[in-house]
């Protein structure tokens, strides 16, 4: 799965907090949102604030970043489901520094092989019935 397929997969399940997601799906949407944030940061630092066109373009990029928050959060919860953790385990980030490290390590782990309580393995080959 390339980065564009991952972004499309995450956006197609916009607010779906059920099921499981592959690592590539989560990291695609996460990196895309952070790329937009970086572009907005560079844009404002290069062109400055106050110009109406700059403010409009910056506001548009900011709106895109805000729109990506829900699908990124949903993909994160589904990613946690893939390693057989509950969605509320996201609150580990409340712990300073250590929580972010744990969450990052969890997101990098391979998911549970086979079915788990949240659904089928997203990496399992799809068996299609004839007919």
């Amino acid at each position: 799965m390339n980065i564009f397929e991952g972004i499309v997969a995450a956006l197609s399940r916009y607010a779906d907090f059920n099921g499981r997601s592959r690592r590539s799906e989560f990291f695609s949407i996460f990196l895309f949102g952070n790329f937009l944030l970086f572009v907005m940061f560079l844009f404002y630092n290069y062109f400055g604030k106050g110009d109406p066109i700059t403010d409009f373009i910056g506001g548009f990029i900011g709106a895109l970043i805000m729109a990506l928050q829900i699908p990124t959060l949903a993909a994160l919860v589904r990613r946690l489901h893939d390693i057989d953790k509950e969605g509320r385990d996201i609150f580990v980030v409340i712990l300073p520094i250590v929580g972010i490290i744990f969450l990052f390590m969890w997101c990098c782990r391979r998911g549970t092989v086979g079915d788990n309580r949240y659904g089928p393995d997203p990496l399992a080959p799809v068996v299609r019935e004839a007919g």
Side-chain angles (χ1 to χ4, degrees), residues 20 84 112-122 124:
R20 297 167 66 175
D84 208 19
T112 306
V113 178
D115 296 352
N116 69 12
R117 59 186 166 158
Y118 297 106
D121 187 355

Side-chain angles (χ1 to χ4, degrees), residues 1-106:
M1 175 182 290
N2 65 33
I3 192 164
F4 298 111
E5 290 172 351
I7 292 169
V8 169
L11 291 177
S12 67
R13 297 173 66 187
Y14 188 85
D16 181 13
F17 290 84
N18 298 317
R20 297 167 66 175
S21 284
R22 309 167 119 191
R23 286 177 284 198
S24 58
E25 181 181 335
F26 167 70
F27 282 112
S28 295
I29 194 74
F30 178 75
L31 292 174
F32 179 64
N34 282 317
F35 172 75
L36 285 177
L37 189 62
F38 180 71
V39 166
M40 188 172 80
F41 173 75
L42 288 179
F43 190 75
Y44 269 130
N45 282 333
Y46 183 73
F47 291 110
K49 297 176 185 168
D51 180 32
I53 294 174
T54 303
D55 288 342
F56 174 77
I57 294 172
F60 179 72
I61 294 172
L64 282 176
I65 293 168
M66 294 289 288
L68 289 175
Q69 295 304 307
I70 293 173
T72 303
L73 182 62
L76 176 58
V77 169
R78 290 191 310 266
R79 182 72 206 122
L80 289 174
H81 287 173
D82 193 35
I83 60 170
D84 208 19
K85 295 208 174 282
E86 295 181 2
R88 65 180 175 203
D89 287 339
I90 193 173
F91 291 113
V92 74
V93 297
I94 293 173
L95 301 171
I97 300 171
V98 176
I100 294 172
I101 293 170
F102 269 107
L103 192 61
F104 180 73
M105 287 177 14
W106 289 341

